[in-house]
Amino acid sequence: MSNLELKNVKAERFQTTDKKSVKSYISKFGSLLGLLLLCIALTFASSHFLTLKNIMNIARQSAINSLISVGMLLTILTAGIDLSVGSVLALSTCIMGVAVVKWGINPILAMLMCIAIGAFLGFLNGVMLTKLKLPHPFISTLGMKNIARGLALIVTAASPISGFPKAIQYIGAGFIGPVPVSFILVIIVFVLFSIFLNRTAQGRYIYAVGGNLEASKLSGINVEKTLILVYTLCGLMASVGGLVLTGRVNAAFPLAGLDYDLDAIAACIIGGASFMGGSGTVWGTLIGAMIMAVLRNGLNLLGVSADLQTVAIGAVIIAAVYVDVLRRQAEKKAKTQTV
């Protein structure tokens, strides 16, 4: 190949890379840009928004949804879903409440029990999906949603349990300086999940299973093991979110987390994850959870009713899914043109 031809090839390569990089940056940082624009708009709309106290309040309010959402992200990456996270949260915290308040078990041991129960329920979701060959995780997790909620009502006799020790309250209501302990926990968890998904073979397997299930099987990935792990971690994170909720309100109640599954799914989709699987990031999910918390906080400051807030969140979710559809169509069109 001559020097002139080599230069032309290099020029084409860099030109293509530049075009792709612009699209990839928009796709990668679109949710962050949306969060920044939302914060700017609310700063002008309310003088109370951009204060340290309010920002820390938003961080505290977003913690529960953030923790549940990072577990939900794993299921969405595999083109799945988990509708049981709210019920898993309720059952695990209610059993912890009975163990601590009524049986007098050590609070640290009870918290470990809470996390173990959440992980076990998630494990059962994964086993039902893989071993029973159910057609979609919608079925297994919908069944678990009702089972766990019913057990939570039975365990507590449909009554809330209050009076938790300070060790449990500290996780949800404590502060280190001006920063909520719950948000520090969120950052630690998200760093760990980011390392897991991006720096380990098992994390890459999760993306592979969601991207192309059949190709993953042919390449030797243990798909059943991967799915069981995903749903186990999702259940575990639901119970961790339950610990924060229990500590924050100093109570465990069987009807906790009724809409938490929908909030978690919304945070993932707003953050750039795709229902088609194989696409989404840990930090995008955190941004999605923050967008929801900032939006609710801002609407509260502006005196908007709870009903209209629900409408606004729904509109944001639809817009996020529509953006994902457009992105998928653009990718498919680009592949067709390349071929």
Side-chain angles (χ1 to χ4, degrees), residues 29-43 287 291:
F29 298 107
S31 56
L32 178 59
L33 178 61
L35 176 61
L36 292 175
L37 291 175
L38 180 60
C39 289
I40 292 170
L42 290 173
T43 299
I287 292 171
I291 287 175

Side-chain angles (χ1 to χ4, degrees), residues 194-266:
S194 180
I195 294 171
F196 169 65
L197 284 175
N198 297 302
R199 302 290 182 180
T200 67
Q202 189 61 61
R204 304 316 299 171
Y205 292 163
I206 292 172
Y207 279 100
V209 169
N212 193 320
L213 182 62
E214 294 304 320
S216 298
K217 291 178 179 178
L218 293 173
S219 63
I221 295 175
N222 190 329
V223 173
E224 288 192 357
K225 176 185 173 184
T226 299
L227 290 175
I228 290 173
L229 175 63
V230 161
Y231 284 90
T232 300
L233 289 174
C234 186
L236 183 149
M237 290 314 305
S239 62
V240 173
L243 284 176
V244 173
L245 175 63
T246 302
R248 182 176 171 184
V249 301
N250 191 23
F253 42 100
L255 296 180
L258 285 175
D259 294 325
Y260 283 7
D261 49 352
L262 301 179
D263 283 352
I265 294 167

Side-chain angles (χ1 to χ4, degrees), residues 9 12 16 26 41 44 51 59 71 86 90 118 172 175 246 248 255-256 271-272 304 322 324:
V9 170
E12 289 177 5
T16 304
I26 293 174
F44 285 104
T51 62
F175 285 82
T246 302
R248 182 176 171 184
L255 296 180
V304 177
Y322 182 60
D324 177 55

Side-chain angles (χ1 to χ4, degrees), residues 13-258:
R13 183 183 302 168
F14 284 122
Q15 193 175 29
T16 304
T17 304
D18 288 340
K19 290 179 181 178
K20 286 184 178 179
S21 65
V22 172
K23 291 181 180 179
S24 64
Y25 273 116
I26 293 174
S27 176
K28 193 173 184 180
F29 298 107
S31 56
L32 178 59
L33 178 61
L35 176 61
L36 292 175
L37 291 175
L38 180 60
C39 289
I40 292 170
L42 290 173
T43 299
F44 285 104
S46 172
S47 59
H48 300 290
F49 177 77
L50 198 61
T51 62
L52 179 61
K53 181 179 179 181
N54 190 56
I55 296 301
M56 290 300 103
N57 185 41
I58 291 171
R60 189 165 63 96
Q61 290 174 346
S62 68
I64 299 169
N65 190 25
S66 297
L67 292 169
I68 299 173
S69 297
V70 74
M72 183 68 74
L73 173 66
L74 301 184
T75 68
I76 292 177
L77 287 176
T78 60
I81 200 169
D82 189 343
L83 300 176
S84 69
V85 289
S87 298
V88 168
L89 176 151
L91 179 58
S92 58
T93 54
C94 285
I95 292 177
M96 178 184 69
V98 171
V100 172
V101 177
K102 296 187 178 181
W103 300 344
I105 290 179
N106 180 279
I108 302 299
L109 183 60
M111 285 190 283
L112 293 175
M113 180 192 301
C114 175
I115 294 172
I117 291 169
F120 177 68
L121 295 174
F123 171 79
L124 290 180
N125 278 333
V127 169
M128 285 190 290
L129 174 63
T130 56
K131 302 302 182 182
L132 299 183
K133 307 298 181 184
L134 297 180
H136 194 274
F138 179 92
I139 307 298
S140 54
T141 60
L142 180 62
M144 179 60 73
K145 176 178 183 176
N146 288 280
I147 292 170
R149 184 70 64 185
L151 289 175
L153 289 165
I154 292 170
V155 166
T156 61
S159 301
I161 300 172
S162 59
F164 285 88
K166 290 184 178 180
I168 295 177
Q169 292 184 45
Y170 184 72
I171 296 176
F175 285 82
I176 296 178
V179 183
V181 172
S182 57
F183 192 71
I184 294 174
L185 175 62
V186 167
I187 298 301
I188 293 171
V189 167
F190 271 71
V191 168
L192 293 176
F193 269 85
S194 180
I195 294 171
F196 169 65
L197 284 175
N198 297 302
R199 302 290 182 180
T200 67
Q202 189 61 61
R204 304 316 299 171
Y205 292 163
I206 292 172
Y207 279 100
V209 169
N212 193 320
L213 182 62
E214 294 304 320
S216 298
K217 291 178 179 178
L218 293 173
S219 63
I221 295 175
N222 190 329
V223 173
E224 288 192 357
K225 176 185 173 184
T226 299
L227 290 175
I228 290 173
L229 175 63
V230 161
Y231 284 90
T232 300
L233 289 174
C234 186
L236 183 149
M237 290 314 305
S239 62
V240 173
L243 284 176
V244 173
L245 175 63
T246 302
R248 182 176 171 184
V249 301
N250 191 23
F253 42 100
L255 296 180
L258 285 175

Side-chain angles (χ1 to χ4, degrees), residues 46 296-306 308-309:
S46 172
R296 284 191 171 124
N297 176 268
L299 293 175
N300 280 329
L301 291 176
L302 296 175
V304 177
S305 68
L308 286 177
Q309 290 183 36

